[in-house]
Amino acid sequence: MNQPTLDHAHAAIEFNKNEPRVNWHDETLWFVRTKRDRAVAQIPEWEQLREAASQIKNHVLSNMHDLLVQFEENAKRNGITVHWAADGAEHNAIIHGLIQKAGATRMVKSKSMLTEECHLNDYLTKHGIEVIDSDLGERIVQMRKEPPSHIVMPAIHLTKADVGDTFHEHLGTEKGATDPQYLTEAARQHLRDTFLTRKVALTGVNFAIAETGGFVVCTNEGNADMGAHLADVHIAAMGFEKIIPRAEHLGVFLRLLARSATGQPITTFSSHFHKPRPGQEMHIVIVDNGRSRQLGRPDFRNSLKCIRCAACMNTCPVYRRSGGHSYHSAVAGPIGSILAPNLDMKQNADLPFASTLCGSCSNVCPVKIDIHDQLYKWRQVLMQEGYGPAAKTVSMKAMATVLESPRLYRMAGKVGRGVLRFAPVTVENRFNPWYNQREMPEPPAESFRDWYINNKKA
Amino acid sequence: MTTREKILASIQANQPSILPLPEQFTFTTTYPDLTKQFSDSLTFVGGMPVVVPDYKAIETHLKEYYPNFTNIATTCPELAHMADVSLDITDPHDLAGVNLAIIEGPIAVAENAAIWVDEKQLPHRVLPMITQYLAIIIRQSTIVANMHDAYKKIKVDTTGFGTFISGPSKTADIEQSLVIGAHGARSLIVYMLP
């Protein structure tokens, strides 16, 4: 996949060059956010539900070891084979091994952000395995050789015309066709054949139940079910934080998940897998990939409560105006910006700065993750560790020197007022990042200090 | 140390001290009329609610709604005579040609129109997804208010597979335009018996 090398701010500048498209992206995501608000308003106990979900997840984080052991034991008893992967490489190798063991060279997949995080598709393709993503949005971006730009709506950055062009090229639909019904039908026919011919299917895991050793997969399209129920081998990939203690806790999470994600009361299919069907193999790959490290960071462990609804992205004024790809990480937006520095602090040091810290993300989070506080805390960790943006590091130091000295501060004020009045061109140019999106202020005639001294005399 | 032991040791070393599970996590929802609420929710999610007095009425409605339909499969003994596709098969791929599947659901949820079905109702897990059109029969007396009530009645691991179905298969992945009929059933009619 094309991994953008630009940092978030520069990628956002690129995205913003097409103003009508940015406005469209912003409005589309805001539309989803308003659907979420309408769905939430139907549930009088919404805030108590969030609190319950948050507390259940707090317990999960504090009892993770025992819950995973309990889950493994019960899953094995159910006839599910359990695998453990320390990192993405091990996760990919295990899945590759299972495909080889099945004597297959092709696999159908339903949505799993974990496999995106581990770059599974790339790995398998390099090893001669054909992978087809079956979620419509994921299939669209896969054809375009792009990563998903959103965890729930992977192709949200594309217009009907973009999809029409892509399908014309890859599925032979009519040139210029943009009707979503027609395009969806074309994808349905194309993928139906895939479902019917694949021996191995992979799904993600939304929730894994310690008490029963089963797991739940939620989709609207039914693609996870079509893949899994027709394949000889079903592999489920799961980040270990997806565990919940008991089946009855699903009542809380299923009420929260789809409402927060798309404003639906529940996904069309909420499928509970406990045993392979007769003659089928079922495997679960439990992945760490840095999660246990995040669990050990008190300031950031709450991020592991995330149920991947994407409400924080849809509401984020920065995400909506910079696009998912600008985050160069499998999980974009506010939650992704907390998770990514844990995976690679240096490469993702820019992401916690991609926020206004307005707090809207924390307000909509169904499991009450303190997202904007964690973004703020990451900034401090990253600056202390020396991963801050160079320009910011230098300018912050300069500012600290000026603010420490009253004389320097007064002098700087005088210079600033003079420059704005007599030589505005020195600040009103494209080299001044502050000026890029703003008018410079009208300089006051005198500083407050001068005004105060003069008026006190009078 | 195996990977499993390494991961579990790292988790044990890093997890915070134990916090209790909340005692209050289920909530009571009251609706004046559960059947009406279920019907409204189902309509909202793109399904079609039909209140019927008996199986005869279901048959009449289906024949009117899907005239000249063939390749019908059902798990419902009362409607067995309508079926021309046998479910007495071993390979689920044999169901690829099913046009209409008629199944029964033991529990339905008013709040979100979700209907639980598990392997007691499904001789083949893929049946409600692989069929082109789906009809589910429920009893009005089995409608519960919300998901908490549903999970109190269901044991999710009684069989190897169970799913909540709420409306027909759908997608909004192309510019947020809702399209009914993605990979699963293109429509869902829910018949509600007394």
Side-chain angles (χ1 to χ4, degrees):
Chain A
M1 295 281 163
N2 307 331
Q3 278 299 323
T5 45
L6 285 179
D7 69 16
H8 177 270
H10 288 93
I13 289 171
E14 287 301 313
F15 187 73
N16 273 272
K17 281 182 179 162
N18 187 342
E19 198 173 318
R21 204 176 174 104
V22 177
N23 291 342
W24 168 82
H25 189 267
D26 177 29
E27 284 158 18
T28 307
L29 270 304
W30 186 252
F31 169 67
V32 183
R33 156 72 211 258
T34 54
K35 282 202 293 184
R36 173 251 172 222
D37 290 350
R38 279 200 296 274
V40 165
Q42 306 281 315
I43 307 295
E45 66 272 26
W46 183 258
E47 288 307 316
Q48 290 103 294
L49 259 183
R50 286 177 75 209
E51 183 57 34
S54 174
Q55 286 184 26
I56 294 168
K57 284 283 185 180
N58 283 340
H59 169 81
V60 167
L61 296 184
S62 73
N63 194 28
M64 188 68 81
H65 175 277
D66 290 0
L67 289 172
L68 285 170
V69 170
Q70 187 192 358
F71 172 76
E72 182 190 39
E73 195 181 305
N74 289 324
K76 280 181 171 170
R77 189 174 305 140
N78 291 338
I80 303 174
T81 310
V82 180
H83 309 259
W84 298 77
D87 53 24
E90 203 170 349
H91 160 269
N92 295 345
I94 290 167
I95 290 167
H96 186 210
L98 291 171
I99 298 168
Q100 282 178 319
K101 213 182 97 204
T105 54
R106 305 185 298 176
M107 179 170 80
V108 64
K109 245 178 88 208
S110 74
K111 194 150 54 194
S112 153
M113 293 322 293
L114 175 62
T115 60
E116 288 291 331
E117 176 189 315
C118 297
H119 306 292
L120 175 71
N121 284 17
D122 264 358
Y123 175 90
L124 291 179
T125 307
K126 275 186 197 125
H127 286 80
I129 308 286
E130 182 211 65
V131 184
I132 290 193
D133 279 312
S134 59
D135 171 86
L136 178 60
E138 285 218 311
R139 187 71 192 114
I140 293 166
V141 295
Q142 189 184 30
M143 284 175 181
R144 298 170 62 94
K145 300 201 188 321
E146 288 174 9
S149 73
H150 187 282
I151 59 173
V152 172
M153 300 166 283
I156 194 74
H157 59 293
L158 299 172
T159 62
K160 292 187 273 203
D162 297 331
V163 178
D165 290 344
T166 306
F167 279 16
H168 173 65
E169 187 188 332
H170 294 272
L171 299 180
T173 52
E174 275 174 59
K175 195 172 170 59
T178 57
D179 175 28
Q181 187 84 44
Y182 166 78
L183 296 171
T184 302
E185 183 65 30
R188 178 182 169 105
Q189 300 302 338
H190 153 69
L191 283 164
R192 196 167 174 89
D193 180 61
T194 306
F195 290 126
L196 287 165
T197 51
R198 296 305 184 269
K199 282 186 181 170
V200 182
L202 184 141
T203 68
V205 169
N206 287 92
F207 305 99
I209 313 151
E211 176 194 34
T212 63
F215 59 95
V216 176
V217 182
C218 304
T219 72
N220 278 322
E221 299 178 9
N223 56 315
D225 289 280
M226 282 290 276
H229 302 324
L230 290 170
D232 299 339
V233 180
H234 174 188
I235 307 168
M238 151 187 174
F240 72 62
E241 79 283 10
K242 294 291 170 112
I243 197 92
I244 60 167
R246 299 200 296 260
E248 56 184 335
H249 294 137
L250 287 166
V252 175
F253 292 107
L254 292 184
R255 291 183 83 194
L256 290 166
L257 179 64
R259 286 188 173 92
S260 298
T262 58
Q264 292 170 250
I266 188 169
T267 47
T268 301
F269 302 98
S270 308
S271 291
H272 301 50
F273 294 87
H274 277 87
K275 289 171 194 149
R277 64 166 203 277
Q280 189 193 34
E281 274 179 42
M282 199 178 273
H283 298 265
I284 289 187
V285 186
I286 302 177
V287 181
D288 183 338
N289 204 30
R291 286 164 175 75
S292 59
R293 183 173 56 232
Q294 192 88 324
L295 188 62
R297 291 186 169 123
D299 281 347
F300 303 114
R301 68 166 60 106
N302 266 353
S303 61
L304 297 174
K305 290 156 77 172
C306 176
I307 56 172
R308 302 289 192 269
C309 69
C312 61
M313 296 173 206
N314 301 341
T315 199
C316 177
V318 178
Y319 173 89
R320 284 188 272 120
R321 291 170 182 83
S322 58
H325 288 153
S326 66
Y327 290 81
H328 57 82
S329 171
V331 182
I335 185 67
S337 301
I338 306 173
L339 297 170
N342 174 56
L343 290 172
D344 186 335
M345 218 183 272
K346 185 161 179 269
Q347 201 187 328
N348 299 309
D350 54 324
L351 297 183
F353 295 90
S355 167
T356 59
L357 302 183
C358 66
S360 187
C361 45
S362 306
N363 283 334
V364 296
C365 178
V367 290
K368 288 194 167 183
I369 302 172
D370 48 340
I371 303 175
H372 72 291
D373 289 336
Q374 291 193 38
L375 288 165
Y376 178 64
K377 285 173 184 165
W378 261 129
R379 293 182 184 187
Q380 314 192 24
V381 172
L382 291 163
M383 292 304 277
Q384 275 159 14
E385 302 274 329
Y387 294 122
K392 191 160 261 169
T393 311
V394 172
S395 57
M396 284 294 181
K397 276 203 180 118
M399 199 166 91
T401 312
V402 170
L403 292 178
E404 270 167 12
S405 152
R407 254 194 49 213
L408 268 181
Y409 177 76
R410 283 201 294 276
M411 208 168 78
K414 208 172 238 174
V415 171
R417 288 191 300 279
V419 161
L420 277 172
R421 190 166 306 121
F422 301 113
V425 70
T426 51
V427 287
E428 292 179 7
N429 62 58
R430 66 191 173 85
F431 297 107
N432 175 10
W434 184 263
Y435 179 67
N436 280 338
Q437 289 92 17
R438 302 172 184 87
E439 299 288 320
M440 295 306 287
E442 231 5 73
E446 54 186 350
S447 72
F448 172 77
R449 184 175 179 275
D450 292 343
W451 175 87
Y452 183 77
I453 291 167
N454 290 336
N455 279 270
K456 204 174 153 196
K457 273 186 211 150
Chain B
M1 261 212 297
T2 61
T3 297
R4 174 186 182 278
E5 286 161 357
K6 257 186 261 171
I7 295 172
L8 284 172
S10 173
I11 287 171
Q12 193 149 42
N14 285 332
Q15 70 190 17
S17 40
I18 190 87
L19 289 164
L21 271 172
E23 283 171 27
Q24 166 57 25
F25 65 90
T26 66
F27 299 89
T28 308
T29 310
T30 40
Y31 296 111
D33 181 346
L34 288 171
T35 301
K36 183 178 181 306
Q37 177 60 36
F38 177 87
S39 300
D40 291 350
S41 300
L42 182 65
T43 307
F44 181 73
V45 297
M48 183 190 194
V50 183
V51 175
V52 282
D54 52 29
Y55 285 97
K56 186 81 203 127
I58 295 173
E59 187 176 344
T60 310
H61 186 270
L62 273 173
K63 280 181 173 161
E64 268 170 32
Y65 204 76
Y66 296 119
N68 313 318
F69 248 35
T70 57
N71 293 356
I72 299 171
T74 183
T75 57
C76 179
E78 288 85 350
L79 299 175
H81 59 279
M82 287 183 74
D84 56 358
V85 172
S86 167
L87 291 172
D88 191 18
I89 49 157
T90 49
D91 184 354
H93 292 83
D94 295 346
L95 301 172
V98 172
N99 245 336
L100 172 66
I102 310 159
I103 61 175
E104 293 171 285
I107 289 169
V109 184
E111 182 184 295
N112 55 20
I115 302 169
W116 174 257
V117 285
D118 63 24
E119 288 186 300
K120 281 186 215 149
Q121 290 80 40
L122 297 175
H124 301 285
R125 297 176 182 187
V126 80
L127 181 63
M129 297 93 189
I130 202 169
T131 181
Q132 296 290 333
Y133 301 90
L134 179 63
I136 307 181
I137 301 165
I138 63 168
R139 298 240 167 225
Q140 292 180 46
S141 57
T142 62
I143 303 176
V144 297
N146 66 22
M147 292 301 285
H148 311 298
D149 297 340
Y151 277 109
K152 277 174 198 153
K153 297 205 166 183
I154 297 165
K155 245 184 93 34
V156 292
D157 56 345
T158 309
T159 68
F161 174 76
T163 184
F164 281 107
I165 301 177
S166 172
S169 156
K170 60 181 82 68
T171 181
D173 270 343
I174 300 176
E175 242 190 62
Q176 279 296 296
S177 311
L178 182 70
V179 177
I180 303 284
H183 304 301
R186 297 171 187 271
S187 73
L188 172 67
I189 304 180
V190 177
Y191 293 104
M192 291 177 277
L193 288 167

